[in-house]
């Protein structure tokens, strides 16, 4: 690990969290940004979601990655560096790290400091020949080139349909930023859920074991812990709906009663039935996603798709120009 990365730690999470929470709850239609789901508890709950039978995304994508991994060196014969925005546990990355003979460095990026460092320590033990270079950051605001060695073939790995947390405008912007971040021609391997089947989607975001429910409510628990708020988790209900017009799953936390909550010295009133919109998970139809990639300056080299259990795709892209 590299101590230089601590520059990113100067981002004061507490201040940023407070600012986002106050702005989101002051809005007439209350919202909280989904990136704040991922403290250690939230990151662990997300890992548990990926193991539920209903959450097909991880299972299907892993299958596609197993299929494509042996072929990757046909496209990128001297892959030296993998960068992963929003790396979490890096579980899916392990098969890439194992299979690329010229790989030297892995740069996981995550907003959850403790979770990132704990994962990095495990990776260092498992892959002693690799330089593991974790970067604590909010990758959505990272626009500077990273200063990557010119001679290194570089792949940005962006799996899990994380791109789905961004609407079309933001996604285009982010995909352009990712190009700038590399600072030179590079590759992008991106996973995207394109499923439009409402029952399957609703099941995936309302798992029977209630883990998504806990994951959603953890954002309130986190605000209680870190900002000294007094949300009563019993008085909010998890809800996930499919907004077909917008092609997205929306997660809400619905207030079951009229109540007032204190957050960092401010009071926020809730009517019974009023909700906080906590996440969008866009399910881009394929043609929409392809035009988004094109507009952001990425060329499709190859796509691997599942059309059985879902419509999940993994796209291998080259930066144009
Ligand atoms: C990690 C953003 C891809 O949208 O499916 C899982 C997060 N939310 N269950 C998704 C999530 C509810 C997940 N992403």
């Amino acid at each position: 690990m590299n101590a230089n990365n601590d520059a990113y730690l100067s981002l004061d999470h507490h201040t940023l969290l407070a600012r986002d929470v106050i702005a989101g709850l002051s809005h007439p239609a209350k919202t909280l940004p989904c990136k704040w789901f991922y403290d250690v508890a939230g990151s662990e709950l997300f890992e548990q979601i990926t193991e539920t039978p209903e959450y097909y995304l991880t299972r299907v994508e892993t299958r596609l990655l197993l299929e494509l991994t042996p072929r990757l060196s046909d496209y990128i014969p001297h892959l030296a560096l993998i960068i992963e925005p929003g790396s979490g546990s890096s579980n899916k990355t392990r098969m890439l790290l194992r299979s690329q003979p010229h790989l030297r460095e892995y740069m996981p990026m995550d907003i959850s400091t403790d979770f990132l460092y704990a994962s990095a320590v495990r990776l260092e033990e498992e892959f002693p020949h690799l330089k593991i270079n974790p970067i604590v950051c909010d990758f959505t605001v990272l626009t500077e080139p990273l200063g990557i060695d010119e001679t290194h073939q570089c792949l940005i790995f962006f799996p899990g349909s994380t791109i789905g947390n961004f609407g079309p405008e933001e996604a285009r912007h982010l995909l352009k930023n990712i190009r700038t971040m590399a600072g030179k021609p590079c590759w992008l391997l991106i996973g995207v859920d394109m499923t439009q089947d409402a029952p399957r989607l609703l099941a995936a975001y309302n798992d029977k074991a209630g883990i998504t429910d806990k994951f959603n409510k953890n954002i309130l628990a986190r605000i209680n812990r870190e900002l000294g708020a007094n949300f009563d988790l019993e008085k909010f209900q998890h809800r996930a709906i499919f907004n077909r017009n917008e092609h997205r799953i929306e997660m809400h936390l619905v207030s079951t009663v009229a109540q007032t909550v204190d957050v960092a010295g401010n009071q926020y009133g809730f009517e019974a039935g009023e909700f906080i919109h906590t996440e969008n998970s866009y399910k881009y139809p394929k043609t929409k996603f392809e035009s988004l990639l094109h507009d952001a300056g990425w060329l499709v080299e190859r796509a691997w798709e599942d059309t059985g259990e879902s419509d999940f795709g993994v796209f291998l892209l080259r930066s144009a120009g």
Side-chain angles (χ1 to χ4, degrees):
M1 282 199 263
N2 183 340
N4 290 339
N5 299 330
D6 290 353
Y8 289 98
L9 288 170
S10 62
L11 276 179
D12 176 353
H13 278 190
H14 188 267
T15 309
L16 295 174
L17 173 68
R19 195 191 59 187
D20 282 357
V21 168
I22 290 167
L25 295 181
S26 304
H27 202 263
K30 294 180 173 68
T31 61
L32 288 171
C34 64
K35 66 183 174 200
W36 297 115
F37 279 141
Y38 303 95
D39 61 353
V40 172
S43 300
E44 279 166 1
L45 284 166
F46 176 67
E47 289 308 314
Q48 290 178 33
I49 289 175
T50 66
E51 286 158 19
T52 63
E54 297 96 337
Y55 195 78
Y56 59 86
L57 288 82
T58 310
R59 187 172 57 244
V60 169
E61 187 180 46
T62 302
R63 211 150 59 208
L64 295 174
L65 289 171
L66 279 171
E67 178 190 333
L68 73 85
T69 299
R71 304 290 314 280
L72 201 57
S73 54
D74 298 352
Y75 300 94
I76 324 174
H78 295 285
L79 179 59
L81 167 65
I82 295 177
I83 304 175
E84 183 174 359
S87 51
S89 68
S90 299
N91 277 343
K92 280 176 280 201
T93 324
R94 285 180 159 76
M95 57 181 122
L96 293 182
L97 300 183
R98 245 178 252 126
S99 62
Q100 305 307 307
H102 299 281
L103 197 66
R104 295 207 197 159
E105 180 175 344
Y106 173 50
M107 198 186 278
M109 295 178 170
D110 208 275
I111 194 168
S112 181
T113 314
D114 298 341
F115 200 75
L116 176 67
Y117 284 151
S119 309
V121 166
R122 280 196 299 275
L123 288 166
E124 280 184 331
E125 286 165 8
E126 272 175 69
F127 300 95
H129 61 291
L130 289 181
K131 179 177 173 196
I132 306 294
N133 194 2
I135 305 215
V136 177
C137 71
D138 173 356
F139 64 78
T140 63
V141 298
L142 204 64
T143 51
E144 295 286 305
L146 288 168
I148 295 164
D149 189 326
E150 274 298 316
T151 58
H152 279 178
Q153 281 197 337
C154 162
L155 172 74
I156 295 153
F157 184 45
F158 198 37
S161 203
T162 305
I163 192 67
N165 276 158
F166 304 87
E169 272 307 310
E170 285 174 313
R172 189 169 15 248
H173 200 73
L174 177 62
L175 290 169
K176 275 189 188 164
N177 275 355
I178 286 180
R179 242 166 26 100
T180 315
M181 183 171 86
K184 60 177 199 122
C186 62
W187 297 83
L188 172 62
L189 188 64
I190 184 169
V192 60
D193 188 17
M194 303 177 289
T195 306
Q196 306 294 322
D197 175 3
R200 179 167 296 283
L201 287 166
L202 290 170
Y205 291 83
N206 291 290
D207 67 284
K208 287 223 172 73
I211 298 166
T212 311
D213 177 312
K214 276 196 203 148
F215 173 72
N216 198 4
K217 286 182 186 161
N218 176 61
I219 200 167
L220 302 182
R222 177 183 194 177
I223 294 168
N224 285 349
R225 283 193 293 269
E226 295 188 26
L227 302 180
N230 66 350
F231 280 103
D232 181 347
L233 272 55
E234 306 275 287
K235 293 185 179 149
F236 286 87
Q237 226 164 37
H238 161 70
R239 177 170 76 194
I241 60 158
F242 183 46
N243 182 333
R244 195 177 280 284
N245 286 334
E246 301 287 341
H247 302 284
R248 71 188 188 207
I249 286 281
E250 296 178 8
M251 291 212 311
H252 302 157
L253 287 164
V254 188
S255 177
T256 55
V257 294
Q259 56 179 322
T260 303
V261 179
D262 293 333
V263 184
N266 304 302
Q267 269 84 51
Y268 300 96
F270 289 83
E271 320 253 337
E274 188 179 348
F275 62 89
I276 310 172
H277 187 161
T278 50
E279 187 181 46
N280 286 325
S281 191
Y282 282 82
K283 308 297 171 182
Y284 288 106
K286 190 176 181 197
T287 51
K288 255 196 151 182
F289 190 65
E290 283 169 336
S291 64
L292 213 138
L293 292 170
H294 176 265
D295 294 348
W298 291 100
L299 304 172
V300 179
E301 185 74 29
R302 169 97 204 247
W304 289 265
E305 282 170 74
D306 176 81
T307 48
E309 195 176 351
S310 67
D311 287 304
F312 199 101
V314 177
F315 292 76
L316 180 64
L317 309 154
R318 255 178 320 115
S319 51

